[in-house]
């Protein structure tokens, strides 16, 4: 199948965003390498300017806007990190930016977006509710929507991570990527598979509402209830009218791993205690999959650590052993 996102669009995105985003470090993890019995590396998108990989795709999309779209402004639904990246990119270009979020988005992420100058709309209790407000802004006020994942410019921007991974670990055999709407996974996988066709692409999500995994199992995008989870940045559906990321995941995924909440907490704790990194739940799932024995590692493996924007009170509870799992609503 032909995809709108290709190695060429990813290279173009990487050139476009150079100087606007950080080329993040890729570092070996002695502790995880010892556990896996093979070299394990961490791609630290935690070191990105806004604390998350989302800045890459958001910046590429903003810089690709036609002049007429810049006059009104941009809007997006977000679980937090996309909104933060978009707010930063919009501010750099002097554009009006409205970010719509559900009531489930942690307050620390809402506050960070507001600090960057974006307008905030809290709508409902799901990404779908927030997206309804974005659709209204587009239809009634002329805003341009820049979605968090299902957009070729966004996906291509995230794909720049894949170029960096292959440049830094030329013999990479497996790349493990947090899996949600599929923008991060699709971009990285498109780049890695083009350059290293035999490399294994593994997606990791949480057991509570793994939208892409459930959609792939059904053979089509399906609605998914958004549930409270430590991996809050992976929450939300993939969109019933998904045009790009579902097909990329379907064609490029080799395996999906799902984690329980306690396994995500263990990953956050390990990242802090052993890797000296503050990592949010959604960013830590690759580490969690390895620690839980759910990854098969036979050669050089890169875990994409996608973000650091965790509520610090929650982080303290987890790393001090005071966190207790909240029962999932029936």
């Amino acid at each position: 199948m032909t995809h709108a996102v290709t190695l060429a669009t990813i290279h173009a995105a990487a050139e476009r965003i150079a100087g606007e985003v950080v080329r993040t470090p890729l570092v070996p993890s002695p502790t995880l390498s010892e556990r896996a019995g093979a070299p394990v590396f961490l791609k630290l998108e935690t070191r990105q300017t806004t604390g998350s990989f989302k800045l890459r795709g958001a910046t590429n999309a903003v810089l690709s806007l036609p002049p007429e779209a810049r006059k009104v402004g941009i809007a997006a639904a977000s679980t937090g990190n996309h909104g933060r990246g978009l707010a930063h990119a919009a501010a750099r270009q002097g554009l009006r930016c409205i970010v719509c979020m559900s009531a489930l988005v942690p307050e620390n992420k809402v506050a960070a977006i507001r600090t960057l100058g974006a307008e905030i709309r809290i709508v409902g209790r799901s990404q779908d509710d927030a997206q309804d407000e974005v659709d209204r802004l587009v239809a009634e006020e002329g805003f341009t929507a820049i979605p968090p994942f299902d957009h070729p410019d966004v996906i291509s921007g995230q794909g720049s991570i894949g170029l960096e991974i292959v440049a830094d670990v030329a013999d990479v055999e497996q790349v493990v990527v947090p899996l949600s709407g599929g923008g991060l996974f699709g971009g990285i996988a498109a780049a890695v598979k083009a350059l290293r066709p035999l490399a294994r692409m593994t997606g990791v999500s949480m057991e509570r509402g793994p939208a892409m995994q459930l959609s792939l199992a059904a053979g089509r995008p399906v609605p998914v209830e958004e549930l409270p989870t430590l991996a809050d940045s992976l929450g939300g559906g993939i969109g019933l009218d998904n045009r790009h990321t579902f097909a990329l995941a379907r064609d490029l995924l080799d395996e999906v791993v799902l984690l329980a909440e306690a396994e995500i907490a263990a990953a956050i704790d390990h990242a802090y205690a052993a890797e000296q990194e503050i990592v949010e739940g959604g960013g830590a799932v690759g580490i969690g999959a390895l620690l839980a024995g759910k990854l098969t590692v036979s050669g050089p493996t890169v875990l994409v650590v996608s973000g650091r924007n965790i509520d610090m009170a929650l982080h303290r509870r987890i790393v001090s052993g005071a966190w207790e799992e909240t029962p999932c609503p029936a």
Side-chain angles (χ1 to χ4, degrees), residues 142-263:
F143 279 79
T144 297
I146 298 182
F149 52 87
D150 195 36
H151 188 291
D153 292 334
V154 172
I155 303 165
S156 295
Q158 323 304 22
S160 62
I161 299 169
L163 300 180
E164 294 172 15
I165 287 172
V166 175
D168 290 349
V169 186
D171 59 345
V172 62
E173 290 188 11
Q174 180 173 208
V175 181
V176 183
V177 185
L179 181 65
S180 179
L184 177 64
F185 180 87
I188 293 176
V192 172
K193 287 285 193 180
L195 297 168
R196 293 275 297 169
L198 298 182
R200 185 173 181 81
M201 293 300 309
T202 301
V204 189
S205 195
M206 65 287 180
E207 292 177 353
R208 291 185 176 181
M212 184 62 80
Q213 186 268 342
L214 292 171
S215 295
L216 291 169
R220 68 187 192 285
V222 297
V224 176
E225 183 182 3
E226 196 168 338
L227 299 170
T229 172
L230 289 175
D232 58 89
S233 61
L234 303 186
I238 69 168
L240 298 183
D241 58 349
N242 188 290
R243 298 176 58 201
H244 304 287
T245 61
F246 175 79
L248 284 164
R250 180 195 62 209
D251 295 347
L252 301 176
L253 254 172
D254 292 296
E255 180 183 16
V256 178
V257 173
L258 300 182
L259 297 186
E261 294 299 296
E263 292 169 333

Side-chain angles (χ1 to χ4, degrees), residues 51-74:
S52 159
F53 75 94
K54 289 284 192 177
L55 183 62
R56 295 174 183 260
T59 299
N60 188 49
V62 166
L63 293 179
S64 301
L65 287 171
E68 58 270 21
R70 292 170 172 263
K71 295 176 182 177
V72 179
I74 57 177

